[in-house]
Amino acid sequence: MKQNSETPFAVKRNAVVETLFRILFFVAALASILAVALICIFLFANGVPAMAEIGVFDFLLGTKWAPKNVPPSFGIFPMILGSIYVTAGAIIVGVPVGILTAVFMAKFCPKWLYRFLKPAVDLLAGIPSVVYGFFGLVVLVPMVRGLSDISLIFDGNGNSIFTASLLLGIMILPTIIGISESAIRAVPDSYYEGALALGASHERSVFFAVLPAAKSGILAGVVLGIGRAIGETMAVIMVAGNQARMPAGLFKGVRTLTANIVMEMGYAADLHREALIATAVVLFVFILLINALFSVLKRRSQ
């Protein structure tokens, strides 16, 4: 019969160390919850009174943002639409490309090419937002402006919803690709092998057996990509045009909620400042709704 060779002192020491690590992990988890709680308290304590003073419907559905007028106007509906349009465009551009790239990297990519493709995707995730914005300002904006000179489809000076959507679609690619590839690789090989045994081709096995099994993880990547797109600021400021007005078309300028906060917070005061914080509350609620929608879809898929 095997006896425990540890001395009572060693057993007591291990118990103390285990207790200390439990406390450490609990404090770390508590710190995360506390950080979220403090952000919520700050936003709602400063933003909700401003909404009440301006008027909830005047604030959310007002079409004029003119804080320097007498009396001032604080309608953020144009910025809400701007954020929705730009994010929707980024989804249209980035989600199909990201998912298909993840499928290629996980199931079709040769090993020699994967050694170059994977670091390139990781590098995209590490590029700062301002560099993306500079790329959009120097490359995408002149490109769209040039297309408007030779085509009746394109219009405007290049600073538009279309350009911002294209740039954000590129920016969310590494998030979607990385999480989707991990989800696809996590699917057991038996799914793929079972589809092959039933007579399916390699492509049909991947798209009709493996991909549906990885749906939950892919959806998580898409939601995180949407969160980055709707919360992006610097790159959007540099290419979207930043007109605080109702969106007039796909190739016209627009201002998003994040851009509105960053551009005016530096000199805002009194009600103007509180209205910008209330704008952050609306943006925060958007993120909460996206996460709640993801939870519902995930529950339904399970």
Side-chain angles (χ1 to χ4, degrees), residues 140-250:
L140 296 182
V141 171
M143 181 185 72
V144 176
R145 186 187 302 126
L147 290 174
S148 67
D149 294 335
I150 61 176
S151 174
L152 297 177
I153 300 176
F154 296 88
D155 192 13
N157 61 358
N159 296 103
S160 61
I161 296 174
F162 177 81
T163 309
S165 299
L166 189 59
L167 182 60
L168 286 180
I170 297 172
M171 292 181 69
I172 67 175
L173 281 178
T175 301
I176 296 175
I177 293 172
I179 298 177
S180 299
E181 184 193 356
S182 299
I184 294 170
R185 290 188 182 275
V187 176
D189 292 337
S190 57
Y191 284 65
Y192 173 75
E193 294 169 355
L196 288 179
L198 292 173
S201 63
H202 173 60
E203 291 78 12
R204 292 184 65 86
S205 299
V206 171
F207 282 98
F208 292 97
V210 177
L211 206 59
K215 180 172 60 176
S216 179
I218 293 173
L219 187 60
V222 171
V223 170
L224 290 176
I226 293 173
R228 179 174 186 186
I230 199 171
E232 180 55 44
T233 306
M234 186 56 65
V236 174
I237 288 176
M238 298 175 73
V239 302
N242 303 312
Q243 290 96 347
R245 64 185 184 188
M246 294 293 290
L250 186 61

Side-chain angles (χ1 to χ4, degrees), residues 106-117:
K107 294 297 181 180
F108 295 91
C109 185
K111 291 184 178 180
W112 65 268
L113 179 58
Y114 186 84
R115 289 198 297 267
F116 297 97
L117 190 58

Side-chain angles (χ1 to χ4, degrees), residues 262-278:
V262 170
M263 292 182 66
E264 300 190 8
M265 184 59 78
Y267 62 87
D270 301 326
L271 184 59
H272 183 193
R273 178 179 178 275
E274 294 176 357
L276 293 176
I277 297 175

Side-chain angles (χ1 to χ4, degrees), residues 285-301:
V285 170
F286 271 148
I287 299 298
L288 290 180
L289 290 176
I290 291 173
N291 289 331
L293 179 62
F294 166 66
S295 298
V296 172
L297 292 176
K298 185 176 180 180
R299 194 177 299 114
R300 289 185 61 183
S301 66

Side-chain angles (χ1 to χ4, degrees), residues 54 64-75 79 244 255 260 264-265 267-273 275-276:
I54 298 169
K64 185 177 181 182
W65 178 269
K68 294 184 178 181
N69 284 7
V70 181
S73 299
F74 297 102
M79 278 72 80
R255 180 183 290 187
N260 192 52
E264 300 190 8
M265 184 59 78
Y267 62 87
D270 301 326
L271 184 59
H272 183 193
R273 178 179 178 275
L276 293 176

